[in-house]
């Protein structure tokens, strides 16, 4: 029977220690009440209750930050996957849902297998829902190498996602209930609307990205402190899409300080750190490492979630390999493994696992002796384009009559704001008469220097200037 509408399920529904045994706890809301609460009727498996109890014991804020779906998530270690793992190496193994030849090799079409120099098992068999163990370890050591100050054991083992969009979506599933505010700068990747708003009912709550040409830390702080102490979810993406901005060293310190202050004031904060363009910083004095480093040790009330991957870092957009990694002051291996289980469980119930072939190819590439040198070469290609953009703007002060560049120093993109023309009209005119394609978004024109040859950059800006001038006149 449905009683009065209760508060959202909170810790109160999951007392510390609950589910350590086999007790099945069930949310007994009727559908109507569930809808009003923005939740679906959902039973809590004993395995989920056990993970929740582990989190509650060591990192209660991590439990408080989970959504209803996040609290219900668990990994079925004793299910088909676990039973298959236990049967590995047995003479007769009738567990796994793949087809094998008479001699036990994967049954594979030659026309598929001959395309790549990897053993068929590394191509066509399932990868674990957590991701290939060797790749998870490798990515963990790679993020430590790229982020000095990040300690081994100071973060979870990365869980492999089907690239960053999927990692963001899994984070949305685990941490956002319908109606939850997602605090983020107002210049953001438009797909966040589909990922967080359309799919999970979160309310995007943006603050102006820049004030006086600087990152608006005060805007972030105001959003964090707005309202009574409770759950806060922030999304930070540097280098940023669409602006190509990363904070200065000073701004990075201020951002971390603002989040620390909000935690000290009693807020529980989960920070989703979208590191899609990690490493593509082209100016001195810009914060190069991930905000995950300071945030992962900031406070027992701050859960840092690093969402990153090979997509842009290793120039493999279609491979669909990303990672989700947690860091929180006070978290132990046990806390992290509970969060990893919830993450892998969400993945298991969603795409089951990320492509084995792409994970295998990346592992092989990371072992390649020329990996670092080749990566540096591609970085240099993008840096040359960035420097060319800076030079073009410096050489053409008259462009200031047509458009204003927004601050940029990193990533794939930069944005300009037309002075008196409509951005969408500029885009249309560029397509129709200048043989030029750009993105119009939120009154801005986004220019991807990442995909524009060096030799075309002069013309790109000249065309944008010409189109802005014509539309300003008309
Ligand atoms: C800021 C940002 N995050 C995430 C993604 C998604 O990356 P992936 O292709 O790995 O899903 C993109 C892709 O454009 C992006 O710009």
């Amino acid at each position: 029977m449905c009683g009065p509408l209760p508060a959202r399920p909170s810790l109160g529904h999951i007392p510390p220690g609950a589910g350590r045994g086999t007790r099945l706890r069930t949310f007994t809301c009727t559908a109507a009440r569930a809808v009003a609460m923005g939740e679906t009727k959902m039973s809590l498996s004993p395995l989920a209750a056990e993970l929740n109890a582990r989190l509650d014991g060591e990192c209660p804020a991590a439990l408080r930050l989970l959504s209803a779906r996040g609290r219900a998530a668990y990994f079925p270690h004793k299910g088909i996957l676990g039973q298959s793992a236990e049967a590995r190496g047995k003479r007769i193994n009738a567990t796994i849902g793949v087809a094998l030849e008479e001699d036990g090799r994967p049954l594979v079409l030659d026309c598929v297998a001959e395309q790549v120099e990897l053993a068929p098992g590394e191509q066509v068999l399932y990868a674990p829902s957590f991701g290939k163990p060797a790749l998870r370890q490798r990515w963990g050591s790679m993020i430590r190498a790229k982020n000095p100050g990040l300690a081994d054991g100071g973060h979870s083992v990365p869980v492999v996602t089907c690239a960053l969009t999927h990692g963001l979506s899994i984070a949305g599933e685990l941490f956002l209930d319908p109606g939850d505010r997602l605090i983020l700068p107002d210049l953001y990747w438009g797909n966040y609307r589909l990922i967080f708003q359309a799919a999970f009912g979160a309310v995007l709550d943006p603050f102006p990205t820049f004030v006086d040409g600087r990152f608006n830390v005060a805007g972030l702080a105001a959003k964090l402190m707005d309202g009574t102490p409770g759950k806060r979810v922030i999304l930070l993406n540097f280098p940023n899409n669409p602006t190509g901005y990363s904070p200065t060293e000073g701004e990075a310190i201020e951002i971390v300080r603002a989040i620390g202050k909000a935690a000290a004031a009693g807020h529980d904060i989960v920070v989703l750190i979208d590191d899609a363009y990690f490493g593509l910083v082209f100016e001195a004095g810009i914060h190069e490492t991930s905000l995950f480093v300071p945030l992962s040790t900031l406070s027992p009330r701050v859960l840092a979630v690093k969402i990153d991957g090979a997509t842009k870092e290793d120039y493999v957009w279609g491979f669909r390999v990303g990672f989700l990694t947690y860091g929180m002051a006070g978290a132990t291996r046990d806390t992290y493994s509970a969060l990893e289980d919830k993450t892998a469980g969400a993945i298991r119930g969603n795409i089951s696992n990320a492509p084995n072939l792409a994970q295998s190819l990346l592992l092989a590439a990371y072992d390649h002796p020329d990996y670092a040198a080749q990566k540096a070469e591609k970085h240099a290609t993008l840096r040359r384009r960035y420097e060319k953009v800076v030079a073009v703007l410096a050489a053409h002060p008259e462009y200031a009559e047509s458009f204003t560049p927004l601050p940029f120093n990193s990533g794939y993109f930069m944005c300009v704001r037309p002075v008196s023309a409509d951005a969408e009209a500029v885009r249309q005119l560029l397509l129709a008469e200048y043989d030029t394609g750009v993105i119009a978004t939120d009154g801005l024109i986004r220019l991807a220097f990442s995909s524009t040859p060096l030799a075309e950059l002069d013309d790109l800006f000249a065309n944008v200037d010409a189109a802005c001038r014509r539309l300003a006149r008309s």
Side-chain angles (χ1 to χ4, degrees), residues 163-165 168 189 192 237 241 274 276-277 311-312 317 320:
L164 281 92
T165 307
L168 291 160
W189 185 40
Y192 292 159
N237 160 230
N241 177 4
D274 178 343
Y277 301 88
T311 306
K312 321 267 179 184
W317 306 272
R320 313 314 295 150

Side-chain angles (χ1 to χ4, degrees), residues 93-436:
N93 180 356
T95 59
I96 2 172
V98 296
L100 302 178
E101 298 280 6
E102 300 303 324
D103 64 2
R105 286 178 302 125
L107 201 150
V108 64
L109 305 182
D110 285 342
C111 58
V112 172
E114 69 193 19
Q115 303 294 330
V116 275
E117 288 176 12
L118 282 172
E122 304 298 305
Q123 304 180 28
V124 297
L125 292 180
Y126 289 126
S129 294
F130 290 82
K132 288 179 82 108
L135 181 63
R136 298 179 67 204
Q137 292 300 333
R138 174 60 63 91
W139 191 260
S141 57
M142 283 166 69
I143 55 180
R144 286 192 299 279
K146 291 182 275 195
N147 291 280
L150 192 59
D152 193 2
H155 58 86
S156 68
V157 182
V159 173
V160 178
T161 63
C162 199
L164 281 92
T165 307
H166 181 236
L168 291 160
S169 172
I170 292 293
E173 178 173 337
L174 295 178
F175 297 106
L176 286 166
D177 281 312
D180 278 354
R181 284 192 303 140
L182 176 61
I183 300 169
L184 76 178
D186 66 351
L187 299 174
Y188 58 80
W189 185 40
N191 203 17
Y192 292 159
R193 283 189 283 270
L194 278 180
I195 298 172
F196 299 112
Q197 193 172 287
F200 300 113
V203 178
L204 302 196
D205 189 13
F207 59 90
T209 305
F210 298 116
V211 169
D212 298 331
R214 296 192 75 238
F215 185 75
N216 180 14
V217 183
L220 168 66
K223 287 285 181 193
L224 276 172
M225 299 301 267
D226 185 24
T228 50
K231 173 176 172 179
R232 299 288 184 272
V233 189
I234 316 175
L235 174 50
L236 295 174
N237 160 230
F238 301 123
N240 172 261
N241 177 4
T243 62
Y245 189 78
S246 291
T248 62
E249 293 292 5
E251 287 166 344
I253 292 169
E254 285 175 42
I255 291 169
V256 174
R257 201 173 285 152
I259 295 171
K261 220 167 146 189
H267 300 290
D268 295 324
I269 306 166
V270 57
V271 191
L272 308 183
I273 303 163
D274 178 343
D275 276 345
Y277 301 88
F278 179 87
L280 296 171
V281 169
F282 306 121
E283 292 282 356
I286 302 304
H287 191 71
E288 273 195 71
T289 53
S290 174
L291 285 176
F292 183 75
V293 180
L295 292 174
S296 61
T297 54
L298 186 64
S299 156
R301 282 190 184 275
V302 175
L303 175 62
V305 185
K306 181 169 171 43
I307 297 132
D308 60 10
T311 306
K312 321 267 179 184
E313 285 197 45
D314 293 312
Y315 309 98
V316 288
W317 306 272
F319 270 28
R320 313 314 295 150
V321 175
F323 301 87
L324 206 147
T325 310
Y326 299 98
M328 187 172 204
T332 63
R333 182 64 214 131
D334 192 51
T335 318
Y336 288 137
S337 92
L339 288 169
E340 288 161 24
D341 270 22
K342 283 185 174 285
T343 307
I347 291 170
R348 173 71 175 148
N350 169 283
I351 56 155
S352 194
N353 48 76
N356 192 351
L357 175 59
Q359 294 183 55
S360 302
L361 288 170
L362 283 170
L363 254 176
Y366 298 151
D367 276 341
H368 195 286
D370 296 339
Y371 168 70
Q374 291 178 9
K375 215 174 143 171
E377 212 178 283
K378 303 302 172 206
H379 191 280
T381 300
L382 294 188
R383 173 187 288 280
R384 275 195 295 279
R385 304 237 186 95
Y386 166 82
E387 287 170 352
K388 175 71 183 174
V389 171
V390 172
V392 170
L393 293 173
H396 292 277
E398 74 280 10
Y399 287 171
E401 293 157 20
S402 309
F403 55 76
T404 312
L406 269 62
F408 70 107
N409 49 35
S410 54
Y412 272 26
F413 313 106
M414 60 87 65
C415 287
V416 301
R417 190 185 298 283
V419 170
S420 50
D422 172 67
E424 173 58 13
V426 172
R427 185 183 80 85
Q428 294 289 349
L429 185 57
L430 285 167
L431 281 177
E433 297 193 27
Y434 292 85
D435 211 8
T436 299

Side-chain angles (χ1 to χ4, degrees), residues 17-55:
R20 281 210 196 275
T22 53
R23 229 163 100 217
L24 179 74
R25 298 186 55 81
T26 308
F27 291 118
T28 53
C29 315
T30 63
R33 186 163 62 174
V35 167
M37 288 160 57
E39 292 174 5
T40 48
K41 194 173 174 185
M42 192 178 288
S43 63
L44 195 65
S45 140
L47 293 172
E50 198 245 316
L51 296 177
N52 295 347
R54 275 161 58 191
L55 291 176

